[in-house]
Amino acid sequence: MTAVLAPLEELPTTTTALVRATLHAQQGLLERSTARLLSATLSDSVWMVRKASLQLHFFIARSAEQVLFFFARRALPEVRPLSVQLAVTVEAAPQPTPTVISEATQRLSAPPIHLLTVPSCLVAQPSAQDFAQHAPPGTTAEDGILFRMGTDQRSYLGIRHPARGLSAQLCYHQEGQPATMLRGFPVAPFLDLAQSIRGALLEPDDASQALPIQLPHDPGALSDVHVSLFWLIEGFRLMEAGLMESSHAQASPFQQLAVRYEPSVYQAELALRLNQQGFFVSDPAVDAVSLGLRVCVLRERGSLLVRLTLLPPDFLVQGLLRDSFLQALKQSTPLLIRKQLGFLDDDAWSAFLDSAQDRAVIFRVERTRSADVNVVILSTASSRTEGSSRQIIVRCLAQVDAQASPPSVKLSDVALRYDSAQGTSQTLDDETARYFVRLASAFQIWLRVLNQSNE
């Protein structure tokens, strides 16, 4: 398909047209196989399409007052953070009775039910009391974010004005102890946060509670997020209505053999960057973190249900790419850094990395033209040299080929940023601290946009 821009409100008709093309193909297959059956020369069966799936990957952009979408044959890295992957599946279903058709038609216009799920490390709808107890004084949902951390989720990190970067206000509260306003960016709370994000990525999809929210239904004068959600949901409605019409409106000699279809999967994953007003940020120079939102639309007990899942950030916590990254770190860490850490030979450094592998976290804090700037957090309960828990943070440049098998990672400029063996009074370097507040700002914007109709 070409990269022709089209208003997002045309997306429902585009997806519905593709589904209808499937129905036309089914009709043709049915007619041809039936003709062969009647001729008794080539076949003794009637062929039908039981299930059809579509995978659409398109991009989103804002132009003046419109939100546009387009397909492209080639990768467009300058707009890649503003992308949508839409999966649609229709399946053959039993023919309904006239009563069921009538009831279903009446439900088509009913407003949807929205449920929001967020990573377990986030407090999705913090109350004024939550902010007063765990966040800097004066924090509200308009200017703050609250993280719940630790294996028992009894520690809290409250951040006020994360959009102000290194000038943000921080409060750390471990239950049973007084809340502490933080000066600078002490390492311990953010190590805890990184491990909590890791835990959220590894937990089952159904482990977090889904909270009911209300979203506007009018696409006019809304944020880009609301406009996108509106037309994605309308795409399901229009497709569902089109399938219902096709199931009982076709006049054909093969009407008795006609197949009725229902949508069984309608799921989109959006990768978007937002500004403070909830509008898309497509300029790669703007300092915004991309987060994902999964949108799943389905019928459940007759009601239109929209499940929204705010996804954790793109941390590497398992998989072949992370394994390749750690293997490259074994080979690329300069001797000077290994000596600083007390690992005087290659075997000692390799043994430490092996013991830290299960809890290792890798994330990108910046992207240059030629490489990614990555931070690696290594945490282990014991090491050959220390015999006690130890945490290390390194920063490096990475050139990654994720399509290779196994994935290829080349590291350079490896630098030590933190070593717990050097004492507990250390603070995060500015680059890593700035990433964490950018991430907090992105979460805070998404939660405010998705929760704003509940206030």
Side-chain angles (χ1 to χ4, degrees):
M1 296 186 179
T2 60
V4 176
L5 296 172
L8 194 60
E9 53 262 39
E10 292 184 15
L11 178 63
T13 55
T14 300
T15 54
T16 301
L18 292 172
V19 171
R20 281 178 173 165
T22 301
L23 299 183
H24 287 307
Q26 152 62 18
Q27 184 68 19
L29 178 63
L30 173 64
E31 293 177 1
R32 288 191 296 273
S33 64
T34 303
R36 290 191 180 100
L37 175 64
L38 294 176
S39 68
T41 58
L42 296 176
S43 173
D44 59 358
S45 302
V46 175
W47 290 85
M48 299 181 182
V49 176
R50 184 180 68 84
K51 180 170 70 172
S53 297
L54 304 172
Q55 298 283 340
L56 304 179
H57 185 193
F58 54 91
F59 299 92
I60 293 181
R62 168 163 283 280
S63 177
E65 299 301 318
Q66 281 189 311
V67 177
L68 308 172
F69 80 101
F70 61 98
F71 299 90
R73 292 184 181 274
R74 59 183 180 87
L76 298 173
E78 66 274 12
V79 295
R80 206 164 201 174
L82 306 181
S83 65
V84 179
Q85 295 189 57
L86 176 62
V88 179
T89 299
V90 295
E91 295 192 52
Q95 290 289 350
T97 65
T99 300
V100 171
I101 293 175
S102 176
E103 292 175 352
T105 303
Q106 294 175 8
R107 290 196 301 264
L108 289 179
S109 59
I113 299 170
H114 299 90
L115 296 177
L116 173 64
T117 300
V118 304
S120 58
C121 58
L122 274 178
V123 181
Q125 296 175 339
S127 64
Q129 182 178 358
D130 290 330
F131 281 127
Q133 187 174 3
H134 307 299
T139 303
T140 67
E142 286 296 314
D143 60 21
I145 184 77
L146 191 59
F147 294 97
R148 182 191 295 112
M149 306 181 303
T151 54
D152 55 1
Q153 295 193 332
R154 293 174 62 86
S155 299
Y156 294 86
L157 177 65
I159 304 179
R160 189 182 188 195
H161 299 307
R164 296 180 183 178
L166 299 183
S167 299
Q169 299 175 340
L170 310 175
C171 179
Y172 185 54
H173 185 204
Q174 295 175 289
E175 287 192 6
Q177 300 181 18
T180 304
M181 290 292 294
L182 302 181
R183 294 185 178 181
F185 289 81
V187 176
F190 292 94
L191 288 175
D192 201 359
L193 176 57
Q195 289 299 328
S196 295
I197 293 174
R198 170 184 169 273
L201 282 163
L202 294 176
E203 68 188 7
D205 289 341
D206 58 355
S208 299
Q209 182 181 3
L211 304 172
I213 61 172
Q214 296 291 327
L215 294 183
H217 305 306
D218 181 1
L222 299 176
S223 75
D224 289 349
V225 172
H226 291 131
V227 171
S228 301
L229 291 177
F230 179 89
W231 290 115
L232 282 169
I233 296 168
E234 283 302 297
F236 180 91
R237 287 185 188 274
L238 187 59
M239 179 183 67
E240 188 181 43
L243 290 173
M244 187 175 297
E245 289 177 8
S246 300
S247 67
H248 60 271
Q250 293 179 354
S252 166
F254 308 98
Q255 182 66 34
Q256 297 301 316
L257 298 176
V259 179
R260 171 178 172 265
Y261 291 92
E262 287 183 349
S264 59
V265 174
Y266 189 91
Q267 180 171 295
E269 291 210 11
L270 293 75
L272 305 174
R273 301 191 305 166
L274 304 180
N275 62 17
Q276 289 294 320
Q277 291 72 43
F279 292 98
F280 296 153
V281 176
S282 56
D283 184 353
V286 176
D287 196 19
V289 173
S290 174
L291 288 178
L293 182 70
R294 181 180 298 128
V295 183
C296 182
V297 187
L298 68 156
R299 284 284 172 189
E300 191 168 286
R301 297 180 181 178
S303 298
L304 184 59
L305 183 64
V306 181
R307 295 186 178 274
L308 305 173
T309 304
L310 185 59
L311 303 175
D314 187 18
F315 279 35
L316 291 178
V317 299
Q318 62 181 354
L320 292 177
L321 179 55
R322 190 191 67 152
D323 293 345
S324 295
F325 209 109
L326 294 176
Q327 184 63 37
L329 193 62
K330 284 183 182 181
Q331 302 166 355
S332 304
T333 303
L335 179 60
L336 178 61
I337 292 178
R338 287 190 275 120
K339 286 184 175 180
Q340 283 181 271
L341 295 169
F343 302 112
L344 302 181
D345 57 62
D346 292 344
D347 289 344
W349 176 234
S350 294
F352 175 82
L353 286 174
D354 289 343
S355 63
Q357 181 164 348
D358 287 346
R359 291 172 57 83
V361 176
I362 303 168
F363 52 93
R364 184 179 61 213
V365 297
E366 194 177 343
R367 175 182 288 166
T368 69
R369 290 188 177 183
S370 59
D372 293 338
V373 181
N374 286 271
V375 167
V376 185
I377 297 178
L378 302 168
S379 179
T380 180
S382 63
S383 73
R384 181 179 298 179
T385 58
E386 300 295 330
S388 60
S389 63
R390 191 172 184 183
Q391 293 79 40
I392 292 172
I393 301 176
V394 296
R395 181 259 199 200
C396 55
L397 295 181
Q399 292 178 311
V400 177
D401 181 2
Q403 303 304 316
S405 182
S408 171
V409 178
K410 296 180 180 179
L411 301 183
S412 60
D413 294 346
V414 180
L416 180 63
R417 289 290 186 253
Y418 170 78
D419 178 12
S420 62
Q422 297 178 15
T424 59
S425 61
Q426 302 170 74
T427 58
L428 286 178
D429 62 280
D430 287 353
E431 187 177 45
T432 307
R434 190 177 292 110
Y435 169 79
F436 275 114
V437 289
R438 287 168 54 214
L439 175 61
S441 179
F443 272 132
Q444 190 260 335
I445 291 170
W446 273 101
L447 287 181
R448 190 181 67 239
V449 169
L450 294 174
N451 279 324
Q452 69 180 26
S453 301
N454 300 334
E455 299 173 358

